[in-house]
Amino acid sequence: PWSTQVGALYGSALAASKLRDAGLAQQQQQRLLALVAGDPQSLQRVQWLGIEIALAARDPIWLQHLNSSTTPDGSGRRPELLLQAQVALLLGNFDALAHAAQALQVWLAKQPWDALAWHWLASVYAAQNQGLRALRAQAEERVAQLDYAGALDRLKAAQERVGADAQNSSAKHIDASIIDTRRRQIESLLREQALDR
C-alpha cells in the first residue's frame, strides 16, 4: 500500500522529471524502489515511473537497463503498452518495435476509441517504414477524436501513396483494401454529421 512517504517521493520524482532534473528524479525513483520492494503492484508502478523518467531524459542507456530489468507481466494493461511503444521508439530496436506494434494492435482491436494508442501505433509503424499503416493509424486516431475530416485526409494521403508505390505485394493489397473500406465508412460518417447540423 502507498504510504505518505511513498506518495511524496513519487510526486517529487515526477516533478523533478518534469523540471528536467533527471539526476534527482532517478535518485528519488531508486529510493522508491527500496520502499516498495515487498509490494508487487506498487513496485510495478515505480518501475513504470523509472521508464517515464528515462524517456523524458531521453537516456537510452538507463532506459535499456530499466527495460531489461522490468519484466512486463503480459497483462496488456494500457500504461505498460504505451510505455513499451515509447521505449521501442527511443531505442530503435527492430524486435521491440515489432512487439510494440503487435501489442497495440491487440489492444486496439478491443479498444478502438483509444486515440493515444492509435497515435503511438502510427509512430511505431512510421519507425518500421510502414508508411501506409502509419497513415491508416493516424486516420484511426482522428476517428477516435471524432475528427472525421482529418481522418479522411489521412486516408486520401494513404491512397495516393498506394498509387505512387510501384511495389505490388499481397500485404500492400490488403492494406489498400482496408484503407479503401475505411475511406468509404468515414465519408458516410461525414455525410451523417453534415445532416445533423
Side-chain angles (χ1 to χ4, degrees):
W2 285 82
S3 67
T4 304
Q5 184 183 11
V6 169
L9 268 176
Y10 189 97
S12 174
L14 195 56
S17 176
K18 298 291 183 195
L19 292 170
R20 303 205 186 288
D21 188 345
L24 178 59
Q26 290 172 0
Q27 285 175 356
Q28 302 291 49
Q29 193 259 351
Q30 292 299 309
R31 288 178 60 197
L32 273 169
L33 283 172
L35 283 174
V36 301
D39 179 4
Q41 191 174 17
S42 294
L43 180 62
Q44 185 171 59
R45 288 182 197 162
V46 173
Q47 288 171 328
W48 288 347
L49 174 65
I51 291 173
E52 283 187 66
I53 292 167
L55 284 167
R58 304 203 62 75
D59 185 342
I61 295 169
W62 196 47
L63 190 57
Q64 185 71 52
H65 165 73
L66 284 173
N67 200 39
S68 62
S69 65
T70 305
T71 52
D73 61 10
S75 63
R77 285 181 285 195
R78 186 176 187 266
E80 185 178 350
L81 295 173
L82 300 183
L83 283 174
Q84 283 178 345
Q86 293 170 69
V87 167
L89 286 164
L90 184 60
L91 295 178
N93 178 296
F94 178 81
D95 290 336
L97 287 167
H99 176 75
Q102 184 178 14
L104 285 169
Q105 287 168 354
V106 170
W107 171 262
L108 286 164
K110 299 175 201 163
Q111 306 289 339
W113 293 101
D114 189 340
L116 190 56
W118 281 115
H119 169 80
W120 287 115
L121 181 58
S123 298
V124 169
Y125 280 151
Q128 294 176 305
N129 292 319
Q130 295 188 37
L132 278 181
R133 290 182 178 181
L135 286 167
R136 179 178 166 236
Q138 289 171 5
E140 297 298 349
E141 177 188 359
R142 304 301 193 290
V143 170
Q145 297 165 337
L146 303 179
D147 176 10
Y148 300 132
L152 189 58
D153 176 69
R154 298 289 73 214
L155 292 170
K156 285 178 180 177
Q159 285 183 315
E160 287 172 13
R161 187 177 185 126
V162 169
D165 189 356
Q167 182 186 5
N168 193 11
S169 67
S170 59
K172 181 185 149 192
H173 178 71
I174 291 168
D175 286 338
S177 297
I178 292 169
I179 288 164
D180 184 54
T181 300
R182 284 303 280 153
R183 179 178 175 173
R184 287 195 304 269
Q185 291 168 343
I186 301 306
E187 285 172 338
S188 175
L189 287 170
L190 266 173
R191 284 192 295 272
E192 288 174 23
Q193 198 176 54
L195 289 172
D196 289 342
R197 289 182 182 164

